[in-house]
Amino acid sequence: MPVHAFLFPGQGSQTVGMGRELAAAFPAAREVFQEVDETLKQKLSRLMFEGSPADLTLTENAQPALMAVSIAVLRVIEAEGGTRLADRAAVVAGHSLGEYSALAAAGAFTLGKAARLLRLRGQAMQKAVPAGEGAMAALLGADLDEAAAICAEAAEGPDGRQVVQIANDNGGGQVVISGDRAAVERALEIARERGVRRAMLLAVSAPFHCALMAPAAEVMAAALETAAIKPPDVPVIANVSAGKATEPAAIRDLLVRQVTETVRWRESVLAMAALGVDSFVELGAGKVLSGLVKRIAPDAATAAAGTASEIEALLKLL
């Protein structure tokens, strides 16, 4: 029997229209979107189904919206398949905001609490750095050590040391860096000089997962201190440790650290494979994580479900 890990995507996977088909076809999905709308006092579902790409891409909207779609897919699978997440998955994991989706899926957070925390997280991350002062970039064809050396060199600028650090170790030679715009731009020049296959700025609104996000980490620390968190029904592989998180106190600490530290996705996938996982199932919008898994653990099976037909196909595999 396959050993499954359920994965939950992060920012960048959002598209206008996501979840619309699910809401039309399944009461379980409609209930998720309605609860999130009521919790946030916003017709977020309308924005997801038929809004503008610019509005949906706003961090404070994209984060709870992506979580809502992921949980809607999970609830449909549970309703149609007649079993719970804990009966299907050995572990769960999510990329950046997707870790909140994973925790909600595993019962550590209620759906409403996850939506409120992600709305706050998105707002705090956007406010942490004035527009234009930060940047993120992708280094394609660079391994972790090479990217770290590039960041160390780029941080030493003409006006003193600046922030530039690894934000995401996505695996398959894909590393994302984040920090002060000038330092990130220097890193791109250095990467090109060193022959990195492709080095490019990313169209993002803030420099996520770096030390410049410290103000947002403080906001999340205060919010998570009083947040009700239960031990998850299945272990969650945390972004910043690439290890199991099962205790509420540890989960709080890891989520605060996640705001300023590296998303260790490559190591997380390898950790799940070491636990015996040989089937990775992505729930929600897009197939980004499935693609990354294929590069990191090429012998593992992958599947993704975000539409009714994909859910039908997935239920035959589970």
Side-chain angles (χ1 to χ4, degrees), residues 45-306:
S45 60
R46 183 182 298 165
L47 175 59
M48 291 157 50
F49 300 163
E50 57 189 44
S52 73
D55 287 340
L56 181 59
T57 301
L58 287 173
T59 303
E60 65 181 75
N61 291 328
Q63 293 198 22
L66 284 163
M67 183 277 299
V69 175
S70 288
I71 299 302
V73 171
L74 174 65
R75 296 279 174 85
V76 171
I77 289 170
E78 290 181 326
E80 298 296 308
T83 58
R84 298 168 54 251
L85 169 75
D87 301 322
R88 305 275 192 172
V91 292
V92 295
H95 193 285
S96 191
L97 80 90
E99 191 163 297
Y100 286 78
S101 306
L103 288 161
F109 287 135
T110 64
L111 175 61
K113 176 57 71 175
R116 284 190 290 270
L117 286 170
L118 284 172
R119 168 56 53 82
L120 180 64
R121 183 178 183 267
Q123 292 171 336
M125 293 173 86
Q126 190 62 60
K127 292 176 182 176
V129 179
E133 292 189 9
M136 298 182 75
L139 306 181
L140 305 182
D143 63 24
L144 189 63
D145 289 341
E146 186 176 13
I150 290 169
C151 287
E153 183 176 344
E156 301 297 339
D159 300 321
R161 188 168 180 84
Q162 292 180 305
V163 171
V164 57
Q165 64 191 76
I166 293 169
N168 305 331
D169 175 18
N170 285 333
Q174 183 187 123
V175 179
V176 175
I177 62 175
S178 181
D180 289 297
R181 176 170 288 274
V184 171
E185 290 174 346
R186 282 195 300 273
L188 291 177
E189 293 176 7
I190 295 166
R192 292 169 186 139
E193 291 169 359
R194 294 190 178 194
V196 170
R197 176 165 52 85
R198 193 175 181 196
M200 57 184 182
L201 283 172
L202 298 178
V204 296
S205 56
F208 305 131
H209 299 292
C210 76
L212 298 179
M213 289 285 110
E218 293 177 5
V219 171
M220 295 312 298
L224 287 161
E225 184 177 4
T226 57
I229 304 177
K230 296 180 180 178
D233 297 332
V234 297
V236 178
I237 302 299
N239 286 178
V240 300
S241 67
K244 289 183 180 180
T246 58
E247 297 298 324
I251 290 169
R252 285 188 177 90
D253 176 64
L254 289 163
L255 289 176
V256 174
R257 289 172 55 197
Q258 189 215 61
V259 178
T260 57
E261 295 186 26
T262 302
V263 174
R264 296 165 59 184
W265 188 251
R266 176 183 59 85
E267 293 173 85
S268 295
V269 172
L270 292 174
M272 287 183 272
L275 291 170
V277 171
D278 55 9
S279 172
F280 292 84
V281 180
E282 183 174 2
L283 302 184
K287 298 177 174 61
V288 170
L289 300 185
S290 301
L292 294 178
V293 168
K294 288 177 182 177
R295 299 189 188 103
I296 301 165
D299 293 333
T302 60

